[in-house]
Amino acid sequence: ESMHQLLQQLPIAAAALKSAVERGAPFTAELETFAAISPGAPQLEPLRKYSATGVMTRADIAKAFPEAANAMVAATEPAVQDAGFFQRLLSSAESVVKVRPIGEVSGEEPGARVARMEVAINSGDYAKALAEYDALPEAAKAASASLVESIKARSEVEALVDQMIAGAMKAA
């Protein structure tokens, strides 16, 4: 096969890769197909650390966020002195849900930041969501660290794959 014919396959390989990433599936096969055609692509190495497991889908991140949001807000509530009240609070976990603001709320307190994070995640603006997260107190950050790792992974992988697609279109 001539180099030109190979390069024509690059956009197809890139599209297959993007499709696997969007499904949240492992994408080792698709990544290695791309690598066989374009072994020098700088995105290959950073993508390999995610390829065996895949990254959480945007839909699953949005679905998992409310629970993480409740945990983040609860983590910043002051500890209750009266144990009796605390027991009541535990038995009605939905009380946490009621106090959490929802929507494009203004303010610097954790509840408002978490609310804006949720709006950003639901609209697919992960950069804004992560900026709000970075401004949260440590206790709130710790409460949602694993989901935020998934958001960062999805964000990074999407950016890398988009770069590959752009490069493949130029090369073809």
Side-chain angles (χ1 to χ4, degrees):
E1 282 186 277
S2 74
M3 196 59 209
H4 181 68
Q5 282 172 311
L6 269 181
L7 286 177
Q8 284 180 318
Q9 291 171 11
L10 212 48
I12 298 163
L17 178 60
K18 188 175 175 73
S19 171
V21 165
E22 279 173 2
R23 288 195 310 275
F27 52 88
T28 306
E30 291 81 358
L31 188 63
E32 296 313 322
T33 300
F34 190 98
I37 306 168
S38 181
Q43 299 86 0
L44 295 171
E45 249 351 274
L47 282 171
R48 281 191 173 115
K49 62 177 188 274
Y50 301 111
S51 63
T53 53
V55 286
M56 199 169 177
T57 66
R58 283 180 166 260
D60 285 342
I61 287 170
K63 224 182 288 168
F65 190 76
E67 195 180 323
N70 291 337
M72 281 189 277
V73 173
T76 61
E77 299 289 312
V80 180
Q81 299 307 313
D82 173 15
F85 176 71
F86 191 62
Q87 288 314 118
R88 286 203 304 279
L89 195 66
L90 280 182
S91 65
S92 84
E94 63 267 23
S95 62
V96 175
V97 180
K98 282 192 209 100
V99 297
R100 181 166 78 81
I102 302 283
E104 197 56 64
V105 188
S106 61
E108 304 305 302
E109 68 280 358
R113 288 199 182 282
V114 169
R116 291 194 299 269
M117 247 184 110
E118 187 164 33
V119 171
I121 283 168
N122 289 336
S123 67
D125 186 349
Y126 287 174
K128 183 179 188 302
L130 292 169
E132 293 288 359
Y133 173 82
D134 287 338
L136 285 168
E138 286 310 315
K141 284 184 180 174
S144 64
S146 70
L147 184 60
V148 168
E149 280 313 304
S150 295
I151 293 171
K152 286 178 176 166
R154 154 88 20 207
S155 221
E156 184 186 347
V157 168
E158 283 181 359
L160 291 165
V161 171
D162 286 345
Q163 289 165 20
M164 289 165 87
I165 287 175
M169 294 308 186
K170 275 198 217 79

